[in-house]
Amino acid sequence: MTVHDHWCPGTARAPQSAAPSRDGEYENRVSPLADPAVLIKQYAREERFTSEVRALLILGPHGLSPQAKAVCAEHRTLLMTRTEGRPLREVLLGGRDDERIAAQLGQIVRRLHQVPAPCTGPLGAPSPLPWTEFLTAHLQMRITTLPVSPRDADRLWEWLEKRLARLLPLDNPRMLHHDLKPANLLRMPGGSLRLCDFDQARGGDPLSDLGKLWWRTFATQHTGPWRAFSRAYGLEPEAEEPILFYLVVHCVGALAYWHDNARPSYFRHARAATLLLAQHTGVHCPLTVRRAEKTKR
């Protein structure tokens, strides 16, 4: 990879919040070039830029990500190889084709999780803490941003803390995508799958990735596609409880993101998150109360 910026269009600009955004394009901007083999990606945040650059340098040689070709650090811009695939349209509901896709996905994600991570937490903002301590601090911070009553915040933390204590120690963090959803799963012309958008990549517990994946890509844990994924991945039955825990963790993150940004295109995901949170923890997080309104109460 070279550090060469003659191809760089200049200062990175985040998409305006009022503009329509496809899932996966809330903060970054992707632009094609005359050369169809490459594309430019610009980042609104330094951490996400650094995370994706580092992820591609680690995963590219394994064939698990696009290849990083050049960077322009001044403008948070990355030149990478282009993947000619189409995102999955929606969740995998069932049927032979969906089960085949799910099995492919299980193999790819298993390969991803076999790669050692250089740190705990985001690759662009490594944490010195062990995984469970990092996750504990992260969740405590996230809960304070939600517009819930002190009583509900305590109930939610009690639910999370009990399950945090059951997590096994993680001595060797693995590479996580951290945003596995249909928009980041590309179906290639020949029928194979590729992963894209590694700007949230981090080191941690592989089951965290599966919590997000189950929520956003599978309709329910007991469908044929999920069973096909589980077999291909090699998932053990005892993983079900921690995957549910991580699903709730991702729901908390999604609701914190919603209350920070309130992008209209993200509403359906925020609504799903608040329903899942209520279902599993008994805590309801309203979507219409802004953080500023919370501070006035």
Side-chain angles (χ1 to χ4, degrees), residues 136-172:
T136 297
H138 177 74
L139 286 169
Q140 289 174 334
M141 180 272 294
R142 285 294 204 187
I143 290 174
T144 64
T145 71
L146 299 182
V148 296
S149 68
R151 180 181 178 184
D152 277 345
D154 289 342
R155 288 176 62 197
L156 178 56
W157 176 244
E158 182 181 355
W159 190 96
L160 291 166
E161 187 177 35
K162 184 183 300 184
R163 286 153 182 84
L164 271 166
R166 297 175 190 164
L167 293 180
L168 297 175
L170 186 67
D171 297 325
N172 301 299

Side-chain angles (χ1 to χ4, degrees), residues 17 87 99 104 229 241 285:
S17 59
E99 290 184 17
Q104 286 187 45
F229 173 88
E241 183 177 333
C285 180

Side-chain angles (χ1 to χ4, degrees), residues 151-229:
R151 180 181 178 184
D152 277 345
D154 289 342
R155 288 176 62 197
L156 178 56
W157 176 244
E158 182 181 355
W159 190 96
L160 291 166
E161 187 177 35
K162 184 183 300 184
R163 286 153 182 84
L164 271 166
R166 297 175 190 164
L167 293 180
L168 297 175
L170 186 67
D171 297 325
N172 301 299
R174 317 306 287 182
M175 285 292 293
L176 309 183
H177 185 284
H178 197 63
D179 198 19
L180 291 173
K181 59 188 180 184
N184 292 336
L185 308 175
L186 302 182
R187 194 170 186 179
M188 307 301 287
S192 62
L193 288 180
R194 295 287 188 275
L195 305 181
C196 69
D197 287 353
F198 288 85
D199 62 319
Q200 295 191 56
R202 62 196 57 208
D205 183 353
L207 296 182
S208 174
D209 258 356
L210 303 193
K212 176 70 171 277
L213 182 68
W214 173 59
W215 167 29
R216 295 290 296 271
T217 309
F218 294 88
T220 173
Q221 197 166 8
H222 302 291
T223 60
W226 178 257
R227 289 193 294 271
F229 173 88

Side-chain angles (χ1 to χ4, degrees), residues 12-32:
R13 295 167 298 171
Q16 296 299 313
S17 59
S21 297
R22 291 186 299 174
D23 194 13
E25 295 183 356
Y26 301 116
E27 297 190 28
N28 306 320
R29 173 168 296 170
V30 177
S31 307

Side-chain angles (χ1 to χ4, degrees), residues 2 7 78 247:
T2 62
W7 46 268
L78 171 63
L247 178 146

